[in-house]
Amino acid sequence: SQQGEEDPQALSIQEGENATMNCSYKTSINNLQWYRQNSGRGLVHLILIRSNEREKHSGRLRVTLDTSKKSSSLLITASRAADTASYFCATDARGGSYIPTFGRGTSLIVHP
Amino acid sequence: ETGVTQSPTHLIKTRGQQVTLRCSSQSGHNTVSWYQQALGQGPQFIFQYYREEENGRGNFPPRFSGLQFPNYSSELNVNALELDDSALYLCASSYWDRDETQYFGPGTRLLVL
């Protein structure tokens, strides 16, 4: 079963615009990670946010975590055509071995 | 590039056959996880190996089995292939107890006819 669910399923924007993706999950977590996947290839780790953190930045990426709402968001600022990819959140359930559970992903298309 | 490699990149098999997929972990990593990703879906956890022992398993039948070797390379074996086994198979390596980040290989795309 999918622990994290991303929203929207698909997002199409113009280069230079910001892109926001959301992730909701069901059970308490230790941390939440965002990954990116280009066209059916391997996933690339973007950012990890722990359950006691509320916001993290990495370059043009900003991630927020609201544990009371069991949700996270990924913001990509000033998007580029090269940001076109699928984005997944992965949650690590509190109390278990570290086995991340992935959502179905958001497909982002950035038009040049 | 993550340093995790997988072979082969593509594979076509017929129903009922057996397949072995291989993964070479990033140097220094002692944990490997395998995932199945169907088209349009997120990766589904198959199992994880830590220091050559199975460390967790997802909701996959026993015909999915694995091995991790002393050099931390790994194999995923699937017996009695079914059409629904067609998917991208991803391995990811990590260093247990140090860093939760998983480093993924490029995947093996399996097509079962």
Side-chain angles (χ1 to χ4, degrees):
Chain A
S1 63
Q2 308 276 164
Q3 156 77 312
E5 291 293 340
E6 293 88 347
D7 174 70
Q9 287 189 343
L11 183 59
S12 180
I13 60 175
Q14 295 295 127
E15 210 166 29
E17 295 181 337
N18 294 342
T20 299
M21 289 158 264
N22 302 295
C23 170
S24 60
Y25 57 92
K26 297 172 185 169
T27 62
S28 297
I29 60 171
N30 286 324
N31 63 61
L32 184 145
Q33 301 188 53
W34 285 90
Y35 286 83
R36 162 199 169 123
Q37 183 177 38
N38 283 50
S39 187
R41 302 294 288 170
L43 279 73
V44 174
H45 179 258
L46 296 176
I47 200 164
L48 179 153
I49 186 166
R50 300 192 184 281
S51 59
N52 61 353
E53 298 175 311
R54 292 297 168 257
E55 188 170 314
K56 260 186 127 166
H57 296 256
S58 176
R60 293 184 295 112
L61 306 180
R62 173 178 169 253
V63 168
T64 60
L65 179 64
D66 186 337
T67 53
S68 67
K69 295 181 179 178
K70 291 187 170 60
S71 68
S72 173
S73 67
L74 169 66
L75 169 67
I76 304 174
T77 60
S79 63
R80 305 166 182 168
D83 294 329
T84 295
S86 292
Y87 293 82
F88 295 90
C89 67
T91 53
D92 162 32
R94 186 179 296 279
S97 300
Y98 182 66
I99 298 173
T101 306
F102 288 83
R104 289 190 174 88
T106 291
S107 176
L108 172 66
I109 297 175
V110 182
H111 299 280
Chain B
E1 293 294 325
T2 63
V4 179
T5 60
Q6 291 186 244
S7 63
T9 55
H10 294 81
L11 198 53
I12 300 175
K13 303 290 269 186
T14 56
R15 194 170 48 182
Q17 286 188 314
Q18 177 266 344
V19 68
T20 298
L21 309 181
R22 295 181 173 82
C23 172
S24 179
S25 297
Q26 184 165 314
S27 178
H29 285 179
N30 57 14
T31 303
V32 65
S33 303
W34 284 91
Y35 295 85
Q36 180 194 68
Q37 186 178 23
L39 205 59
Q41 302 292 316
Q44 294 290 304
F45 174 74
I46 302 175
F47 43 57
Q48 182 182 84
Y49 280 81
Y50 168 65
R51 293 185 175 176
E52 302 174 58
E53 297 287 332
E54 189 176 288
N55 189 44
R57 189 178 182 92
N59 190 27
F60 280 81
R63 60 189 184 85
F64 285 78
S65 62
L67 285 172
Q68 186 185 30
F69 300 102
N71 65 355
Y72 300 128
S73 63
S74 174
E75 287 182 357
L76 164 66
N77 298 288
V78 187
N79 293 322
L81 283 167
E82 301 177 359
L83 298 180
D84 285 349
D85 295 333
S86 295
L88 181 68
Y89 287 86
L90 297 161
C91 80
S93 73
S94 58
Y95 196 98
W96 184 257
D97 287 344
R98 178 182 290 182
D99 179 7
E100 297 96 330
T101 300
Q102 300 210 325
Y103 297 85
F104 282 81
T108 293
R109 188 162 296 282
L110 172 65
L111 177 61
V112 182
L113 300 176

